[in-house]
Amino acid sequence: MNQKRTLYHYPLCPFSRKVRLLLFEKGLSYGMIMETPWMRRPEFLKINPAGDVPVLIEPDGYALTDHVSICEYINEIKTTPDLMGETPRGRAEVRRLTNWFDSKFYMEVYKPLVGEKLDKVVRLSKEPDAALIRAGRANLKRHLDYLDWLTARRNYLAGRYISMADLGAAAHLSVLDYLGEINWERYPDMKAWYLKIKYRPSFNSLLMDRLAGIMPSDVYANLDF
Amino acid sequence: MNQKRTLYHYPLCPFSRKVRLLLFEKGLSYGMIMETPWMRRPEFLKINPAGDVPVLIEPDGYALTDHVSICEYINEIKTTPDLMGETPRGRAEVRRLTNWFDSKFYMEVYKPLVGEKLDKVVRLSKEPDAALIRAGRANLKRHLDYLDWLTARRNYLAGRYISMADLGAAAHLSVLDYLGEINWERYPDMKAWYLKIKYRPSFNSLLMDRLAGIMPSDVYANLDF
């Protein structure tokens, strides 16, 4: 029996957010189940033994894990609108930038900054490690300088048109923004680019996320900040 | 003016090895330049400011970075033999397993074990951190148990046919094998699978790698171990 396509996600997981944006942009309807990965819920571990989100359950019950595979899969089963680029080199640039955020930005910014806050504040109700937070903020500044430089030169991250790279990067930034970690006025070109993504209907569901214990920053859901 | 396709690589970099295997399997000829990433050679940083390998230079001089993008690019410009799977779900499984090694195995095994040895022994001529090495070895055992379980059930990692997942996984294992970190007799099904990949002509160039300061293990280039 066919069911609704369902995404297991965590609100402050940038990979879950990337998949949510992509599904909406592709016009694929889906339901969501919030999963807190560190709870290691036995029913969820049966679906994904690795225990991480996102996990996409297709209408026939087939389960897909690994956010990179999930995004390529969605792009293959629904080819329009094209969010991957038109030529092999165009697609290589889209994937390079997407992977940049998913690996480098994730390791250098998300892990020490967001990961530390989630692990200590939300999971253990303790103080985060100040040295890690400082390191994450220093790395964040470096990455945002690059993004401001790039968005001053390009309409969208990978070129003239919106692509997976924009969705992925905005997904990562939106998590930092939720936590009030982005000083938007410092990066005018990046801010102008981010607003273009933030105004899209696909972003709406992200802006409505609220997590018990951590409320979003003042600018997070504000479209006129 | 067109030149030869060229790969900047480092011999014990699993991502470089994955691309070398893929180029050969696709029948694309290429030259290689060994680049030691931590040297941060100014001429190389002009090509790839991030400073990491592999970097692929196409015959017309176009440079591609990021190993995931490079592999997808190669697969797009040369579609035969098909190493990505035949259906969207088949490809999702190939990508999932490839990414498993490139992210989880890399973070949990390569970084603490190989990365530590390269950083301390090769780069700084110091003793590696014993606690990191121990942690890497414990993680390695867990990953190889899974791989032995998987190869007992499947002809190749993602199913009946050879795919990117086999090339990527074998590339990672070959680096551990170079350093003598794999006890093959403990994992008979994994060993039988690895030998199938090791016998392929594409693997030859990997088996001839020799790095000053670290010689390969006795079994590394042995096809009858």
Side-chain angles (χ1 to χ4, degrees):
Chain A
M1 196 187 73
N2 273 14
Q3 299 171 314
K4 201 175 181 187
R5 177 175 281 119
T6 303
L7 185 72
Y8 287 86
H9 80 111
Y10 182 73
L12 294 190
C13 163
F15 309 125
S16 302
R17 289 182 163 228
K18 181 178 67 167
V19 174
R20 289 162 69 187
L21 291 173
L22 181 61
L23 283 168
F24 193 104
E25 292 282 346
K26 288 284 188 178
L28 298 170
S29 69
Y30 64 103
M32 292 202 294
I33 297 176
M34 178 178 151
E35 188 66 44
T36 306
W38 58 84
M39 298 285 193
R40 299 188 66 74
R41 201 165 56 87
E43 291 81 1
F44 182 63
L45 291 179
K46 275 186 209 153
I47 303 170
N48 180 18
D52 48 23
V53 287
V55 171
L56 182 67
I57 311 290
E58 282 290 85
D60 64 355
Y62 191 83
L64 293 120
T65 61
D66 178 63
H67 60 93
V68 179
S69 304
I70 291 174
C71 288
E72 295 279 355
Y73 171 82
I74 294 169
N75 196 56
E76 288 183 357
I77 61 166
K78 185 79 163 60
T79 51
T80 55
D82 181 10
L83 290 165
M84 202 54 107
E86 291 178 330
T87 63
R89 289 184 184 181
R91 285 190 287 279
E93 179 66 354
V94 168
R95 291 186 175 114
R96 178 186 78 82
L97 285 161
T98 310
N99 294 336
W100 180 277
F101 279 89
D102 288 345
S103 353
K104 287 211 165 57
F105 190 87
Y106 178 76
M107 289 308 298
E108 295 172 11
V109 179
Y110 182 93
K111 284 272 257 182
L113 192 45
V114 186
E116 176 68 10
K117 282 190 180 180
L118 287 181
D119 190 48
K120 296 289 166 60
V121 182
V122 178
R123 188 169 76 90
L124 302 171
S125 300
K126 285 168 63 175
E127 283 293 308
D129 180 331
L132 278 177
I133 300 285
R134 262 199 311 277
R137 283 183 181 147
N139 292 338
L140 174 62
K141 199 175 154 300
R142 206 162 38 75
H143 279 281
L144 297 189
D145 280 338
Y146 171 67
L147 204 49
D148 200 44
W149 177 89
L150 193 66
T151 47
R153 278 152 187 83
R154 293 179 179 180
N155 200 17
Y156 286 99
L157 289 198
R160 194 182 299 182
Y161 306 110
I162 190 168
S163 76
M164 269 302 304
D166 299 286
L167 305 185
H172 280 275
L173 288 201
S174 71
V175 175
L176 275 303
D177 191 35
Y178 186 101
L179 296 173
E181 290 288 349
I182 300 183
N183 176 3
W184 293 102
E185 302 317 316
R186 205 192 144 93
Y187 311 97
D189 291 301
M190 184 188 81
K191 180 181 171 182
W193 159 80
Y194 185 75
L195 274 177
K196 285 191 288 191
I197 315 294
K198 190 173 178 178
Y199 281 137
R200 298 178 78 87
S202 58
F203 225 79
N204 238 325
S205 135
L206 271 53
L207 298 183
M208 296 191 304
D209 279 350
R210 296 292 178 273
L211 202 64
I214 299 193
M215 289 309 283
S217 66
D218 289 344
V219 297
Y220 177 68
N222 185 351
L223 290 170
D224 301 303
F225 73 112
Chain B
M1 197 188 74
N2 272 14
Q3 300 171 312
K4 202 176 182 185
R5 177 175 281 119
T6 303
L7 186 72
Y8 287 84
H9 80 113
Y10 182 73
L12 295 190
C13 162
F15 308 126
S16 302
R17 288 182 164 228
K18 182 178 67 167
V19 175
R20 289 163 68 186
L21 291 174
L22 181 62
L23 284 168
F24 193 104
E25 292 283 345
K26 288 284 188 177
L28 297 170
S29 69
Y30 64 104
M32 292 202 294
I33 297 175
M34 177 179 153
E35 189 66 45
T36 305
W38 58 84
M39 298 285 192
R40 299 189 66 74
R41 202 165 55 88
E43 291 81 2
F44 182 62
L45 291 178
K46 274 185 210 154
I47 303 169
N48 181 18
D52 49 23
V53 287
V55 171
L56 182 66
I57 311 291
E58 282 289 85
D60 64 355
Y62 191 83
L64 293 119
T65 61
D66 179 64
H67 60 93
V68 179
S69 305
I70 291 174
C71 288
E72 295 280 354
Y73 171 82
I74 293 170
N75 196 57
E76 288 183 357
I77 60 166
K78 184 78 161 60
T79 50
T80 54
D82 180 11
L83 290 164
M84 202 54 108
E86 290 177 332
T87 64
R89 288 183 185 182
R91 284 190 287 279
E93 179 66 354
V94 168
R95 290 188 176 112
R96 179 186 78 82
L97 285 162
T98 311
N99 293 337
W100 180 280
F101 280 89
D102 287 346
S103 346
K104 287 212 166 56
F105 190 87
Y106 179 77
M107 288 308 298
E108 294 171 14
V109 179
Y110 182 93
K111 283 273 256 185
L113 192 45
V114 186
E116 177 68 11
K117 282 190 179 182
L118 287 181
D119 190 47
K120 296 289 168 58
V121 182
V122 178
R123 189 170 75 91
L124 301 171
S125 299
K126 285 167 64 175
E127 284 294 307
D129 180 331
L132 277 177
I133 300 286
R134 262 198 311 277
R137 282 184 182 145
N139 292 338
L140 174 62
K141 199 174 153 303
R142 205 162 39 75
H143 279 281
L144 297 189
D145 280 338
Y146 172 67
L147 203 49
D148 200 43
W149 178 90
L150 192 68
T151 47
R153 279 151 187 83
R154 293 179 178 180
N155 200 16
Y156 286 99
L157 289 199
R160 194 183 297 183
Y161 305 110
I162 190 168
S163 76
M164 268 303 305
D166 299 286
L167 304 185
H172 279 275
L173 289 202
S174 72
V175 174
L176 276 302
D177 191 35
Y178 186 101
L179 296 173
E181 291 288 349
I182 301 183
N183 176 3
W184 292 103
E185 302 318 315
R186 204 191 144 95
Y187 312 97
D189 291 302
M190 183 188 82
K191 180 182 171 180
W193 159 81
Y194 185 74
L195 274 176
K196 286 191 287 190
I197 315 295
K198 191 174 176 177
Y199 281 136
R200 297 178 78 85
S202 59
F203 225 78
N204 238 324
S205 134
L206 270 54
L207 298 182
M208 295 191 304
D209 279 351
R210 295 293 178 274
L211 203 63
I214 299 193
M215 289 310 283
S217 67
D218 288 345
V219 297
Y220 177 69
N222 185 351
L223 289 170
D224 301 301
F225 74 113

